[in-house]
Amino acid sequence: MTTIERTRTAEERSSGTSVWRTIRLFWADSLIALVVKRLFAGVATVLVVLAVVFLISNVIGDPAVLMLPPEATAEQVEALRTELGLDRPLFVQFAESFSGWITGDFGVSTWQGMPALPLAIESFAKTLYLAEVTLIVAVPLGVIFGLAAGRRPNSWVDRLITSISALGVSMPTFWLGLLLILVFAVTLRWFPTNGYGGLHYAVLPACAMALLPLGRIAQITRSSVADEMGKLYVTAARTRGLAEGAIGRQHVLRNAAIPVLTLIGSEVASLLNGIVIIEVIFAWPGIGSMLITSIQQRDLPLITASVAVIAAVAVLVNLIVDLAYLFIDPKVRR
Amino acid sequence: MTSPAMTASEPVPFLSIEDLHVRFDSARGVVHAVRGVNMRVGKGERLGIVGESGSGKSVTAHTILRLMPDAQISGRIMMGDKDLVSASSSEMRGIRGRKIGMVFQDPMTSLDPVRTIGSQVVEAGRHRGLGRREARAEAIDLLGSLGIPRPSDRFDEYPHHFSGGMRQRVVIAAALMGAPELLIADEPTTALDVRLQARLLDMLWVLSQERDMSVMLVSHDLALVAGFADRVAVMYAGAVQESAQVDRLFDRPAHPYTDGLISSAPRLDAYDHPPLVPIPGSPPPPSVRMAGCRFAPRCPRAAALCREEEPALLPLADQSDHRSACHFAEQVQAHGPIPAASVASTSHNG
Ligand SMILES: Nc1ncnc2c1ncn2[C@@H]1O[C@H](COP(=O)(O)OP(=O)(O)OP(=O)(O)O)[C@@H](O)[C@H]1O
Ligand SMILES: [Mg+2]
């Protein structure tokens, strides 16, 4: 007994309790270095996306023609080209834009007459609000439904949830949005048909957007939980006398979370796609509406700034998901 | 069914399985996987269970801990005066780990990949009421005695840091942490290389001796069982065909199936033995109903009686500890499983 005691304290002195050991492992694997590396890669990705936007608008099309109404004369186009410096070599223009992107200067919005980036960021804040409400609905409900179904495969709960999620996955978002407006705004008058304001305004667009990720998250959670429940380590835990609830909490949840987490990451990313159409339908003044309007207004700086914000957010979401893996899946930690 | 009288040579049974039947409903009808198993494990006794693939060894082992939710079970599994077949699920939870532990064949999948090995080894100890530090100390001790080097350093590592052999030690440690009185090991070493198999079983043998722990070792490998077990039960087609002390069973088998198994088992000293004689044919599928002895179609000694009447597992005339489910057990033991024709002539001569 004393030998065990001694070994244990010596061991504790050298490597600490398990919490500290985990933190130490993180440092050893240098989490900071990883994050910095990924951030650089992310910035590079955003710059490449912006270069593509630049290429499309400057090489394939003529920004001066784009910015002017269709009936503009050749002289007007020429005048604008000179004014905006579009008559200079493309390389010089690109270098100028590029240094602007790096310093966060995307030029002045031709439509609003204000710096483009703050405008884009401000409208993104509104998108973020809508996305948050959507995720607050979709993620917990999706996970709860998936857990309930996966714990007892082929029970009536499972069948009910499986069919509802199949419905959610197959319903087009814009159509659901219109349906919700018709039922809850026009007929029942519970919620406003469109516009921006408090939670009241966010409910319908958020629900319209939530159904698809909710259904997908429920499906993946269900199959992931059912898979894990059938694995040998669950039976082994049972032979050690663990109660079903404890097996679920201590073993199944974390294993089942790995594919669910991947999905949530990609759902957040695709939410950014779907949100454009929903913002237009519900007249929600977010980044999606901003992008559409800036395209309609032929406002190149604002288009570029909006794309930059969207790309940066996508990169960040991916980084956060990858970091979450570190906490859940020890294999990623090496 | 009358339970055979106990003799002084037989240890007090810790677990006794009486006329156990296990059925599964499947798409292609009822699978009668275990049909009337009778078996007992003494306190501190090491029982080997051998038999061909599909003979119902694993189903029997899993049924003891009631691990198969879709199984229809009848018969009795007595532990003291408690019948595990009719025990409630909360009673079963108290028995699992603390009274009866289990180790599975596949060390790669029987550990949770996202939890440290230490946290899994500790579980059964915590379940038994040990404090956090106590459980940790005992687990490290146990891992060390199972031959894991620097157990306190490895305690917080994850399963993927361990080789198959090391994982199986971890799994055994996790089962032993509950201080079970019986350890069921379903082919615990099959996935490992031969040298490791023997080493691991040696360790298990020592641990069972130290703790007076009964072990049920399920295996294909006769040689492995011969070296480990005190007593052996031979299963065929869902029932025990013969059981005896290990030396008696190997020296004087009283069932043609056991005899066939022994002569078809590869030996290390094969050069001065006759070549392997595999048992011809294959066992009847567990969904088939048939009259008589289920081994009769493959048996070199089968007589008319064998195809009509199913033999019961009964003690041999002079050895109550040696049981065989063969109508001709005594003759087989005395003369070996001679073909039916020569049997007829022998009986004429005698
Ligand atoms: N859950 C189940 N549902 C239906 N049939 C099953 C089930 N489990 C086992 N069986 C059947 O029961 C029979 C006995 O299987 P068991 O796994 O006990 O054999 P075994 O003796 O352990 O063989 P092996 O040496 O290959 O492990 C087999 O025919 C198998 O197909
Ligand atoms: Mg088996």
Side-chain angles (χ1 to χ4, degrees):
Chain A
M1 203 59 212
T2 44
T3 32
I4 301 167
E5 215 48 28
R6 220 181 304 122
T7 348
R8 214 170 53 76
T9 42
E11 187 263 327
E12 263 181 3
R13 224 176 296 126
S14 67
S15 60
T17 57
S18 82
V19 175
W20 283 110
R21 209 182 140 88
T22 313
I23 292 174
R24 238 166 41 96
L25 275 176
F26 269 96
W27 281 108
D29 283 9
S30 166
L31 184 67
I32 301 283
L34 180 83
V35 172
V36 169
K37 242 186 286 176
R38 288 290 309 268
L39 277 177
F40 269 108
V43 169
T45 310
V46 174
L47 289 176
V48 168
V49 169
L50 293 181
V52 170
V53 172
F54 178 89
L55 220 65
I56 292 172
S57 48
N58 286 279
V59 178
I60 299 170
D62 181 342
V65 175
L66 264 175
M67 284 179 182
L68 289 169
E71 61 275 14
T73 62
E75 289 77 44
Q76 284 173 311
V77 172
E78 219 31 62
L80 188 65
R81 285 177 67 91
T82 323
E83 188 195 323
L84 295 178
L86 296 175
D87 50 353
R88 293 172 304 161
L90 199 61
F91 174 74
V92 175
Q93 291 181 47
F94 182 77
E96 194 185 78
S97 305
F98 191 85
S99 68
W101 299 338
I102 289 179
T103 54
D105 176 13
F106 286 76
V108 173
S109 159
T110 53
W111 164 47
Q112 298 266 325
M114 285 193 283
L117 189 61
L119 277 177
I121 290 174
E122 190 190 322
S123 62
F124 178 73
K126 294 173 182 162
T127 297
L128 196 61
Y129 175 55
L130 188 54
E132 273 168 19
V133 179
T134 305
L135 290 176
I136 286 171
V137 174
V139 174
L141 283 184
V143 169
I144 289 170
F145 285 176
L147 284 178
R151 283 298 292 278
R152 282 171 206 80
N154 301 322
S155 62
W156 67 266
V157 182
D158 178 28
R159 296 216 180 103
L160 183 72
I161 288 172
T162 305
S163 7
I164 291 179
S165 31
L167 192 73
V169 167
S170 51
M171 185 136 35
T173 302
F174 75 90
W175 187 76
L176 182 64
L178 293 175
L179 194 73
L180 290 179
I181 292 178
L182 191 68
V183 176
F184 294 101
V186 177
T187 311
L188 294 172
R189 293 175 181 279
W190 289 356
F191 299 102
T193 51
N194 61 28
Y196 174 75
L199 191 58
H200 205 51
Y201 284 86
V203 169
L204 287 189
C207 285
M209 273 197 303
L211 197 64
L212 178 66
L214 194 160
R216 275 201 215 135
I217 290 170
Q219 284 177 339
I220 296 292
T221 308
R222 180 209 175 271
S223 68
S224 174
V225 168
D227 266 13
E228 295 299 327
M229 290 296 289
K231 288 199 176 158
L232 189 57
Y233 73 81
V234 170
T235 312
R238 221 169 263 148
T239 66
R240 282 178 238 135
L242 255 69
E244 291 303 305
I247 293 174
R249 281 191 308 277
Q250 295 171 23
H251 293 289
V252 176
L253 263 186
R254 222 166 120 182
N255 280 289
I258 295 170
V260 174
L261 197 70
T262 318
L263 180 77
I264 291 176
S266 75
E267 285 305 315
V268 172
S270 66
L271 208 63
L272 293 173
N273 296 329
I275 218 158
V276 174
I277 187 108
I278 284 294
E279 284 184 355
V280 171
I281 291 176
F282 286 90
W284 187 273
I287 192 81
S289 298
M290 180 66 94
L291 187 60
I292 298 290
T293 321
S294 60
I295 291 170
Q296 285 165 350
Q297 297 292 330
R298 304 182 172 86
D299 187 343
L300 196 56
L302 198 51
I303 294 174
T304 315
S306 305
V307 169
V309 168
I310 292 173
V313 169
V315 163
L316 266 181
V317 167
N318 277 323
L319 179 58
I320 291 168
V321 169
D322 286 354
L323 289 180
Y325 276 134
L326 285 179
F327 287 91
I328 291 185
D329 189 353
K331 275 179 220 151
V332 186
R333 273 179 247 163
R334 266 173 292 148
Chain B
M1 174 153 263
T2 56
S3 57
M6 292 268 310
T7 61
S9 68
E10 231 172 325
V12 184
F14 170 73
L15 192 82
S16 122
I17 301 176
E18 293 159 25
D19 199 28
L20 182 73
H21 288 257
V22 182
R23 295 176 179 85
F24 299 98
D25 278 332
S26 80
R28 279 178 286 124
V30 175
V31 177
H32 197 163
V34 168
R35 36 182 89 223
V37 158
N38 289 286
M39 199 184 274
R40 51 175 56 196
V41 198
K43 180 87 193 87
E45 186 184 43
R46 287 167 289 263
L47 173 70
I49 301 176
V50 296
E52 277 171 298
S53 194
S55 55
K57 307 183 295 292
S58 297
V59 172
T60 305
H62 283 67
T63 303
I64 295 172
L65 280 179
R66 296 243 312 270
L67 293 174
M68 293 179 296
D70 53 342
Q72 297 155 28
I73 309 169
S74 68
R76 303 205 300 166
I77 301 175
M78 301 302 295
M79 191 184 76
D81 51 9
K82 181 168 285 323
D83 184 1
L84 304 191
V85 170
S86 56
S88 70
S89 42
S90 72
E91 280 176 318
M92 281 315 296
R93 214 176 306 130
I95 289 165
R96 290 181 190 143
R98 275 188 277 185
K99 290 282 184 191
I100 304 177
M102 187 150 179
V103 175
F104 300 93
Q105 174 174 349
D106 187 2
M108 302 319 261
T109 57
S110 40
L111 287 170
D112 179 346
V114 305
R115 301 272 315 278
T116 62
I117 59 120
S119 72
Q120 299 181 62
V121 173
V122 157
E123 264 174 2
R126 304 273 294 148
H127 182 56
R128 164 160 72 93
L130 292 185
R132 196 176 286 276
R133 300 176 132 254
E134 271 177 306
R136 186 182 163 104
E138 197 179 314
I140 288 174
D141 208 21
L142 200 51
L143 288 169
S145 69
L146 276 159
I148 291 186
R150 296 177 298 105
S152 53
D153 291 342
R154 310 218 60 182
F155 192 82
D156 292 312
E157 289 181 14
Y158 290 89
H160 68 273
H161 294 125
F162 288 74
S163 67
M166 286 294 157
R167 284 196 205 191
Q168 199 60 310
R169 290 161 207 239
V170 170
V171 170
I172 293 172
L176 293 182
M177 266 306 279
E181 292 174 56
L182 166 66
L183 183 71
I184 301 173
D186 189 355
E187 312 205 31
T189 60
T190 308
L192 310 177
D193 76 64
V194 181
R195 284 220 335 261
L196 213 58
Q197 293 190 2
R199 275 246 296 288
L200 212 52
L201 281 184
D202 281 347
M203 287 178 194
L204 199 55
W205 193 94
V206 171
L207 281 164
S208 88
Q209 195 73 14
E210 283 173 1
R211 299 168 163 237
D212 194 25
M213 175 180 73
S214 316
V215 180
M216 265 172 98
L217 176 71
V218 175
S219 179
H220 278 115
D221 189 336
L222 285 187
L224 217 59
V225 167
F228 180 85
D230 305 321
R231 211 156 52 81
V232 179
V234 178
M235 285 190 69
Y236 179 79
V240 175
Q241 303 299 337
E242 182 171 7
S243 69
Q245 295 298 320
V246 61
D247 296 339
R248 277 207 82 78
L249 188 108
F250 283 99
D251 292 344
R252 307 197 60 203
H255 195 292
Y257 177 65
T258 311
D259 191 86
L261 267 189
I262 293 170
S263 45
S264 66
R267 289 162 175 264
L268 290 177
D269 51 354
Y271 53 85
D272 59 358
H273 280 274
L276 301 188
V277 193
I279 308 174
S282 54
S287 47
V288 163
R289 299 171 141 269
M290 60 187 279
C293 174
R294 293 182 75 80
F295 186 59
R298 300 171 72 186
C299 182
R301 201 195 195 294
L305 173 66
C306 302
R307 297 193 186 83
E308 283 153 20
E309 195 183 311
E310 188 166 1
L313 181 68
L314 295 173
L316 298 192
D318 54 338
Q319 312 136 43
S320 63
D321 190 33
H322 193 156
R323 295 185 177 81
S324 166
C326 176
H327 290 303
F328 302 102
E330 277 84 4
Q331 287 95 313
V332 170
Q333 191 177 37
H335 309 293
I338 350 166
S342 45
V343 168
S345 63
T346 322
S347 56
H348 280 301
N349 296 345

